[in-house]
Short mmCIF file of all heavy atoms in Angstrom, two decimals:
data_model
loop_
_atom_site.label_atom_id
_atom_site.label_comp_id
_atom_site.label_asym_id
_atom_site.label_seq_id
_atom_site.Cartn_x
_atom_site.Cartn_y
_atom_site.Cartn_z
N SER A 121 -21.88 -72.78 27.59
CA SER A 121 -21.84 -71.83 28.73
C SER A 121 -23.21 -71.10 28.73
O SER A 121 -24.04 -71.16 27.86
CB SER A 121 -20.71 -70.91 28.50
OG SER A 121 -20.91 -70.05 27.36
N ARG A 122 -23.36 -70.35 29.78
CA ARG A 122 -24.58 -69.54 29.95
C ARG A 122 -24.65 -68.47 28.85
O ARG A 122 -25.66 -68.18 28.32
CB ARG A 122 -24.67 -68.94 31.35
CG ARG A 122 -25.96 -68.25 31.62
CD ARG A 122 -25.99 -67.83 33.05
NE ARG A 122 -25.91 -68.90 33.93
CZ ARG A 122 -26.88 -69.35 34.78
NH1 ARG A 122 -27.98 -68.71 34.75
NH2 ARG A 122 -26.70 -70.41 35.55
N ALA A 123 -23.49 -67.93 28.53
CA ALA A 123 -23.47 -66.89 27.45
C ALA A 123 -23.84 -67.50 26.08
O ALA A 123 -24.53 -66.89 25.30
CB ALA A 123 -22.06 -66.28 27.35
N ALA A 124 -23.45 -68.74 25.88
CA ALA A 124 -23.85 -69.45 24.61
C ALA A 124 -25.34 -69.69 24.59
O ALA A 124 -25.95 -69.59 23.53
CB ALA A 124 -23.05 -70.75 24.50
N LEU A 125 -25.96 -70.01 25.70
CA LEU A 125 -27.42 -70.23 25.76
C LEU A 125 -28.13 -68.90 25.45
O LEU A 125 -29.13 -68.91 24.72
CB LEU A 125 -27.83 -70.74 27.12
CG LEU A 125 -27.46 -72.15 27.42
CD1 LEU A 125 -27.86 -72.51 28.82
CD2 LEU A 125 -28.13 -73.10 26.47
N TYR A 126 -27.62 -67.80 25.98
CA TYR A 126 -28.23 -66.54 25.73
C TYR A 126 -28.10 -66.11 24.20
O TYR A 126 -28.97 -65.58 23.65
CB TYR A 126 -27.69 -65.44 26.61
CG TYR A 126 -27.97 -65.57 28.05
CD1 TYR A 126 -27.10 -65.16 29.03
CD2 TYR A 126 -29.17 -66.14 28.48
CE1 TYR A 126 -27.43 -65.30 30.37
CE2 TYR A 126 -29.50 -66.34 29.83
CZ TYR A 126 -28.60 -65.86 30.75
OH TYR A 126 -28.91 -66.01 32.05
N ARG A 127 -26.92 -66.45 23.67
CA ARG A 127 -26.68 -66.15 22.29
C ARG A 127 -27.60 -66.97 21.36
O ARG A 127 -28.19 -66.47 20.40
CB ARG A 127 -25.25 -66.41 21.90
CG ARG A 127 -24.86 -66.13 20.48
CD ARG A 127 -23.42 -66.48 20.25
NE ARG A 127 -23.08 -67.78 20.81
CZ ARG A 127 -23.04 -68.92 20.12
NH1 ARG A 127 -23.25 -68.91 18.82
NH2 ARG A 127 -22.78 -70.07 20.71
N ILE A 128 -27.82 -68.24 21.67
CA ILE A 128 -28.72 -69.10 20.93
C ILE A 128 -30.12 -68.59 21.00
O ILE A 128 -30.84 -68.50 20.00
CB ILE A 128 -28.61 -70.51 21.38
CG1 ILE A 128 -27.25 -71.17 20.92
CG2 ILE A 128 -29.75 -71.39 20.93
CD1 ILE A 128 -26.97 -72.52 21.46
N SER A 129 -30.53 -68.18 22.20
CA SER A 129 -31.90 -67.65 22.37
C SER A 129 -32.09 -66.38 21.58
O SER A 129 -33.11 -66.16 20.97
CB SER A 129 -32.20 -67.41 23.85
OG SER A 129 -32.10 -68.62 24.58
N ALA A 130 -31.14 -65.52 21.68
CA ALA A 130 -31.23 -64.23 20.93
C ALA A 130 -31.24 -64.48 19.40
O ALA A 130 -31.91 -63.80 18.71
CB ALA A 130 -30.05 -63.30 21.32
N TYR A 131 -30.46 -65.47 18.97
CA TYR A 131 -30.35 -65.76 17.55
C TYR A 131 -31.70 -66.23 17.04
O TYR A 131 -32.23 -65.80 16.00
CB TYR A 131 -29.30 -66.79 17.33
CG TYR A 131 -29.16 -67.30 15.94
CD1 TYR A 131 -28.68 -66.47 14.95
CD2 TYR A 131 -29.49 -68.60 15.58
CE1 TYR A 131 -28.52 -66.91 13.68
CE2 TYR A 131 -29.36 -69.03 14.28
CZ TYR A 131 -28.90 -68.21 13.35
OH TYR A 131 -28.74 -68.64 12.06
N ALA A 132 -32.35 -67.18 17.80
CA ALA A 132 -33.60 -67.75 17.36
C ALA A 132 -34.74 -66.73 17.43
O ALA A 132 -35.56 -66.53 16.56
CB ALA A 132 -33.97 -68.95 18.19
N LEU A 133 -34.81 -66.01 18.57
CA LEU A 133 -35.88 -64.99 18.73
C LEU A 133 -35.69 -63.77 17.79
O LEU A 133 -36.66 -63.22 17.33
CB LEU A 133 -35.98 -64.54 20.16
CG LEU A 133 -36.45 -65.59 21.18
CD1 LEU A 133 -36.34 -65.10 22.61
CD2 LEU A 133 -37.81 -66.10 20.83
N GLY A 134 -34.46 -63.40 17.55
CA GLY A 134 -34.18 -62.26 16.64
C GLY A 134 -34.67 -62.57 15.23
O GLY A 134 -35.24 -61.71 14.57
#
Side-chain angles (χ1 to χ4, degrees):
S121 65
R122 189 173 297 248
L125 288 175
Y126 293 148
R127 183 182 43 100
I128 286 172
S129 299
Y131 177 69
L133 293 175

